[in-house]
């Protein structure tokens, strides 16, 4: 049975990935909550891994408390992330720090902790990025875009340093998630789910990447809403 670690597992894209991989052994990583416990109980072979991505120094202890990293890890899906908005003139060091800790430093640390299992399985690391990781941000989005550009660089570096692994960056367009709802409110725009990707559509692509035939890899791929 394949084993996958999924962050941001209780909602949005992460939850959709977990549900599509429900027949695998799953390590569901998210903030401690009743929703995390319920999801782990609902899926056939899932373990809740409560952790706080804003505290990368504590991730090793959190993983160990949940049973540790398995000897083989077929895939890690980095789906969790936060959005800290603010113009450069208004952003505080705390805002920059929080954005980078969760979206980059915690991803690097979790990947490091999973490396022995990933190497044993010659597994796949999927980093869910954003259109902001490719295009200049609008006003107020620079901290988020900076973190996503850094995440893309992390994926490229991991691919170079760990050639036995498959490392894929996925760049989704606007997706119907809680983060998107918050973003649209901050932008002063309407939230129209019909105009966005569904989490299931992005999850379907992620699962395809995880299940590629041996000898094939997809370094990066974009998925966008179909124009209506």
């Amino acid at each position: 049975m394949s084993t996958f670690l999924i962050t941001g597992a209780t909602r949005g894209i992460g939850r959709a990935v977990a549900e599509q991989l429900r027949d695998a052994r799953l390590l569901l990583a998210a903030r401690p909550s009743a929703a995390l416990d319920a999801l782990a109980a609902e899926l056939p072979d899932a373990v809740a891994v409560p952790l706080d991505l804003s505290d990368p120094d504590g991730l090793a202890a959190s993983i160990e408390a949940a049973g540790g990293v398995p000897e083989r890890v077929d895939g890690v899906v980095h789906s969790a992330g936060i959005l800290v908005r603010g113009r450069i003139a208004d952003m505080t060091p705390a805002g920059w720090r929080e954005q980078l800790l969760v979206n980059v430093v915690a991803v690097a640390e979790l990947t490091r902790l999973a490396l022995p299992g990933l190497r044993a399985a010659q597994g796949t690391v999927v980093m869910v990025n954003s259109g902001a990781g490719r295009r200049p941000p609008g006003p107020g989005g620079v901290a988020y875009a900076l973190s996503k550009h850094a995440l893309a660089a992390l994926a490229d570096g991991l691919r170079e340093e760990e050639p036995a692994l498959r490392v894929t960056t996925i760049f989704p367009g606007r997706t119907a998630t809680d983060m998107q709802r918050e973003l649209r409110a901050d932008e002063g725009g309407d939230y129209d789910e019909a105009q966005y990707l569904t989490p299931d559509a992005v999850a379907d692509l992620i699962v395809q990447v995880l299940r590629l035939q041996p000898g094939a890899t997809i370094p990066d791929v974009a998925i966008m809403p179909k124009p209506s």
Side-chain angles (χ1 to χ4, degrees):
M1 179 181 292
S2 297
T3 299
F4 300 101
L5 168 65
I6 304 166
T7 71
T10 55
R11 60 182 191 166
I13 294 169
R15 185 183 182 100
V17 172
E19 290 174 345
Q20 290 196 27
L21 292 174
R22 63 184 302 117
D23 292 331
R25 182 186 182 195
L26 301 178
L27 306 180
L28 305 176
R31 288 184 179 274
S33 68
L36 176 60
D37 294 337
L39 181 62
E42 172 189 332
L43 299 174
D45 193 355
V47 175
V49 184
L51 47 72
D52 181 0
L53 294 177
S54 68
D55 178 23
D57 290 328
L59 293 179
S62 296
I63 295 287
E64 193 61 31
V69 177
E71 292 185 0
R72 291 178 58 87
V73 178
D74 296 276
V76 176
V77 179
H78 293 289
S79 179
I82 62 168
L83 171 63
V84 178
R85 284 184 60 79
R87 291 176 176 265
I88 295 171
D90 302 320
M91 286 287 289
T92 65
W96 293 105
R97 190 178 299 113
E98 181 185 17
Q99 185 73 91
L100 291 169
L101 278 176
V102 174
N103 288 5
V104 185
V105 180
V107 174
E109 174 63 358
L110 271 180
T111 301
R112 184 186 72 82
L113 294 170
L115 271 178
L118 284 165
R119 288 167 176 159
Q122 295 191 359
T124 301
V125 178
V126 177
M127 299 190 183
V128 180
N129 203 290
S130 164
R134 284 186 156 180
R135 297 186 300 274
V142 66
Y144 181 70
L146 175 66
S147 73
K148 290 302 185 178
H149 277 75
L151 183 63
L154 175 62
D156 291 342
L158 181 64
R159 195 178 298 114
E160 289 290 327
E161 293 184 5
E162 299 287 340
L165 305 185
R166 298 193 290 199
V167 182
T168 298
T169 295
I170 293 183
F171 295 92
R174 292 196 178 231
T175 306
T177 63
D178 292 341
M179 181 185 290
Q180 189 64 232
R181 188 185 298 276
E182 294 166 7
L183 174 60
R184 293 300 292 149
D186 189 67
E187 292 174 335
D190 295 330
Y191 177 79
D192 182 0
E193 288 193 1
Q195 301 300 313
Y196 308 139
L197 291 164
T198 66
D200 276 336
V202 182
D204 182 67
L205 176 60
I206 292 170
V207 171
Q208 289 182 56
V209 168
L210 292 170
R211 291 177 171 166
L212 280 176
Q213 293 293 316
T217 189
I218 299 175
D220 56 76
V221 58
I223 178 171
M224 303 297 293
K226 182 180 178 181
S228 57

